[in-house]
Amino acid sequence: MVDSSLAKRLTREIQRFEFLRGSMGALLMWLLACMLLGAMVWTISLAKIQSDRVEIEKSTFTKATQLSKAYTEQLSRSVDQIDQITRNLKYGWQTFHGALKLEDQLRQGLYPRSAQIYASIVDSHGTIVTSTLDKANAPNIAARDYFKIQQLNPDNDLRIEKPSEGGRSGRTVIRFTRRLDQADGSFDGMVVVGVEPTFLAAFTDESSLGTSDSLAIKDMDGVVLAAKMGDRIRSLPSIYRSPQVFEAPGGIRRIPGDKFVDGESRIVAWQKLSSYPLVSFVSLSDAAALAAYQPTADNYRNIAIAGSVLLLLLATAGMFFLSRLAWRKYQADEVKNTYQLAIDGAREGFYMVRALYDQQQNVVDFMIKDCNDRGALLVGYAKEELVGKKFSDLYSGEISQRVLAIFRKAMEIGFYEDEFKATRHRNNSQQTIWMFRRLVRSGHGLAMTIRDVSEKKSYEQALLKMANIDALTSLPNRHWLMKFLPAALNRARKRNTMFAILFIDLDNFKAINDTLGHEAGDQLLQEAAIRLQSVLRPVDKVVRLGGDEFTLLLDSFSSQEEVAQVAARINQKFSVPFEITEQKTVVLVGTSIGISLFPHDGNDSATLLRNADIAMYSAKAAGKGQFRFYDERFSEHGIAC
């Protein structure tokens, strides 16, 4: 019992949403469209963020390369300067046979104390002979490695030592040494020039470095000789967790954050000095480079988030409204289906039709499997005669091909409906009727309903005729004119041709109608319509506006004279008296004609009709039986000026 109750409750819940079945496609399409739009918003935003990030990375690479090149050039000039000092000192010492005094040069200002450069000359025994530093406590350096190397190597190269603390200055210095030779080439000592690391680390474009950026100079063993660190990393002894090896003489690459003490990845550009065993390094922080762009990236993300929220609201609102529309349609369909069931049994013919296939599974014919009595009657057969017949038995020639094509189409698309004319054979006579046909695919066949709509069609045609045709003269009426005229003017406008409206009033008609009666007046109007039609071309139209007023529409004429000729022919036609049959009398009725021309007298229907009416009153005021073209001088009452 519990299971049965639960099943019934579940069935009721499912039935509550039955109305959505027909709209499920639209709901899913709407949801999918919103999802696709959301995906597009995020794709475009993320693509823009990525594109800008790539541009910033390219810019950072370019900046690192340029800074590395500039620093290398500056460093080369600084080392060249130091090299030149060692050469000058060697030359002076050897030229003046040991008479060179650096103390005198220092007093003369050749070595400013703020220059961070110290020079000394050491003899072959390791004793400092002369120096820009105080010699009072100068140690003997014969045991130093750099002295021994110069003592043992007779080459004339400048040697660059690793940084160490100066014994007399008490500061970290980098020593540049050059060997001194006696005349016979034997060791005579060396020139020592010491510089503080800040001298080599100084950079003219220092403002381009960020707080996590750095400059450095290393020897070929990877030992840092001097470095310039940003504010955030200045207190660190080294930014690398371990020495990095750069085998190429120059280049640029990104080094991940796990290689650095602060965990920030950096773009590192390096360049070997062309004449010295030194390598310059420039390290730029990725985080610092991207920090300025981060607000822009956040804006893109916020825009994407806002767009997603908006699309979510839009999707929710759309699904809500689509559901309401589906509910209303479902209710309307229920009412319609109920009504349809009520009328189908009495008015519609019903047929079950099965498709017949050839060996290639092409539909070649159809067979009527079943029908109701109404269906058999509509096609002029008894039910027993119709069931089992093929279409090829009922139709032949072009009609057979047309019918088969319609039914094949219904099999393909699942649904088809139309209205068509048919001939009903009854009692050895033929009757043309209008049929409404609906085809719905059902399995391997079609369910067809047919309804005789001849009465409805006749009623529609009668209404159409009543709405557009004057009952007395069978001419188009004012309603027809107001629909036809704007389209006719548009065609004339596109063809750049003239169009004329002739407003015609029958002279003396009221007197005849009053004296001879309405029947005589009606006969006169009918005869007048015939005479007006007789003077026109097939493309021209005659319209009865009402009473004794007619309008002629002349299309595509070449000149005003041609219109005047038509008006003259009308007046000539109406100069012949009319014979009134009932009264056996003859009456003379003339015409007063007002003419307006498109586009000369107006560009729209209302203006042209009004101006033709004004011209007609002017013609009538001139003595009747006249025609006048519209002129701006005419008053609103049609009286000639």
Side-chain angles (χ1 to χ4, degrees), residues 360-401:
Q360 287 75 37
Q361 295 301 304
N362 297 318
V363 177
V364 294
D365 206 345
F366 290 88
M367 177 183 289
I368 299 176
K369 297 295 293 179
D370 195 11
C371 69
N372 62 3
D373 292 333
R374 177 66 174 172
L377 181 62
L378 285 173
V379 294
Y381 284 89
K383 178 178 179 180
E384 295 75 14
E385 297 175 337
L386 192 59
V387 173
K389 283 189 178 293
K390 299 178 184 177
F391 282 10
S392 56
D393 299 330
L394 300 171
Y395 309 106
S396 61
E398 183 181 344
I399 296 177
S400 175
Q401 295 301 317

Side-chain angles (χ1 to χ4, degrees), residues 40-41 53 58 102 106 145 182 209 238 271 283 288 312 331 376 448 487 511 565 576 584 610 624 626:
M40 286 177 60
V41 169
R53 183 185 181 92
K58 288 181 181 178
L102 295 178
L106 179 64
D145 290 339
Q182 295 184 5
L209 298 177
S238 173
Q271 184 68 48
S283 300
L312 178 60
Q331 289 181 314
M448 178 173 67
Q565 291 173 6
V576 178
K584 296 181 181 181
R610 183 178 65 251
K624 301 183 180 180
Q626 306 286 328

Side-chain angles (χ1 to χ4, degrees), residues 600-617:
H600 182 267
D601 299 326
N603 286 313
D604 59 87
S605 304
T607 302
L608 291 168
L609 288 171
R610 183 178 65 251
N611 291 342
D613 186 41
I614 293 172
M616 185 273 292
Y617 277 107

